[in-house]
Amino acid sequence: MRYLLARGVAYIMHPPWAKYTQRALLASSYVMMGFLGWLIVAGVEGAIGSSGWVVMAGTIVSLLGVATRYYQIEAIGIWPQITGLLALIALGALGTGSVVVGAYCVLLGLRLLELNVVAWNARTTMERSGGAP
Amino acid sequence: MTGIPVWVQAVVALVAAFGGVGTMIQVLNAYRAYRDGVRQREDLAEERLMKRLEKKIEVLEIRSAADARYIRRLVMALGRAGIEIPEHPDDAKPIAGLPPHSS
């Protein structure tokens, strides 16, 4: 393929039910994580509150990526989410919930890996077809 | 970060550094992908234009060859009828770089 669009590759396109389900699941996970960030920001100050801001910022960026189907933007937002959540775990702000959030961090890492593989595939395919220098 | 143990502060700093560097690399990669995408779109547009122009030139060449064949037949018919063939208007005012029609 001579030209690869920078979107629509990392997201299910067919069948339609899977396409919309995936979009809804991704969006709801980021919305819920953003809500967690907001709860932390609203309730705690200092380093823990700052981590909440970082998580919230990340979820907004990722939501933007999911809404526009620009997976690169989604990937950019995942990094602050992981960072903020790991910082929250390290600061002991989540108590026993740290395990659950830690598991979510692992899943976010998986999604990040997947998106980066998609980006890498797009780049190598583009270079092989002689489209990019 | 008062009241937080030093080792926790160190871990948080490490996590922040890891996240910051990761985000920066990701942004850089996204920018590079965007740049390549733009370049590809430009290349593709240029390629399409060239293809269209080539097709148009081909059509013009075919048409001009058909016109030339028809004019040759007209000239021969005029000559057979004994009618004097007028000079090509371009020969009176030659175009620079082009040979005259009579040559």
Side-chain angles (χ1 to χ4, degrees):
Chain A
M1 195 158 76
R2 178 82 173 84
Y3 171 55
L4 279 170
L5 277 172
R7 63 177 182 177
V9 187
Y11 303 102
I12 299 170
M13 298 305 286
H14 190 81
W17 61 266
K19 173 182 158 181
Y20 293 114
T21 306
Q22 189 206 26
R23 209 82 58 81
L25 287 173
L26 282 171
S28 55
S29 76
Y30 293 137
V31 165
M32 281 195 273
M33 210 31 74
F35 184 60
L36 172 83
W38 179 74
L39 282 178
I40 290 165
V41 168
V44 194
E45 282 180 1
I48 296 174
S50 305
S51 303
W53 277 116
V54 172
V55 172
M56 223 162 66
T59 54
I60 290 167
V61 174
S62 287
L63 262 176
L64 203 75
V66 172
T68 55
R69 283 195 293 123
Y70 280 100
Y71 64 87
Q72 302 267 15
I73 295 176
E74 190 192 340
I76 290 170
I78 290 175
W79 279 101
Q81 282 182 71
I82 294 175
T83 310
L85 292 173
L86 287 180
L88 284 172
I89 292 170
L91 290 164
L94 303 165
T96 47
S98 293
V99 181
V100 180
V101 174
Y104 182 74
C105 278
V106 173
L107 288 176
L108 276 179
L110 271 174
R111 177 74 183 149
L112 187 63
L113 181 72
E114 189 187 305
L115 294 179
N116 276 309
V117 168
V118 169
W120 180 81
N121 274 337
R123 185 159 189 83
T124 48
T125 309
M126 209 161 69
E127 280 172 356
R128 237 180 281 130
S129 65
Chain B
M1 294 207 283
T2 49
I4 299 168
V6 178
W7 71 269
V8 175
Q9 287 186 29
V11 170
V12 172
L14 274 175
V15 167
F18 159 78
V21 170
T23 309
M24 271 164 62
I25 291 169
Q26 200 73 52
V27 170
L28 200 73
N29 278 341
Y31 176 69
R32 275 171 62 196
Y34 167 76
R35 279 282 305 272
D36 289 346
V38 168
R39 202 166 296 163
Q40 275 207 312
R41 267 196 290 274
E42 284 169 359
D43 287 352
L44 203 70
E46 199 174 304
E47 213 170 87
R48 272 197 205 133
L49 178 72
M50 289 300 289
K51 263 184 193 163
R52 263 210 326 264
L53 286 175
E54 272 171 15
K55 212 172 265 180
K56 274 190 179 168
I57 288 170
E58 208 175 299
V59 169
L60 282 174
E61 275 175 355
I62 292 167
R63 264 193 204 160
S64 81
D67 285 350
R69 277 198 304 274
Y70 181 63
I71 288 167
R72 211 174 299 130
R73 279 161 65 187
L74 271 181
V75 166
M76 282 168 74
L78 287 171
R80 269 201 294 272
I83 300 166
E84 196 190 333
I85 298 151
E87 203 178 59
H88 194 283
D90 283 355
D91 286 349
K93 197 182 171 187
I95 299 167
L98 281 179
H101 281 82
S102 52
S103 65

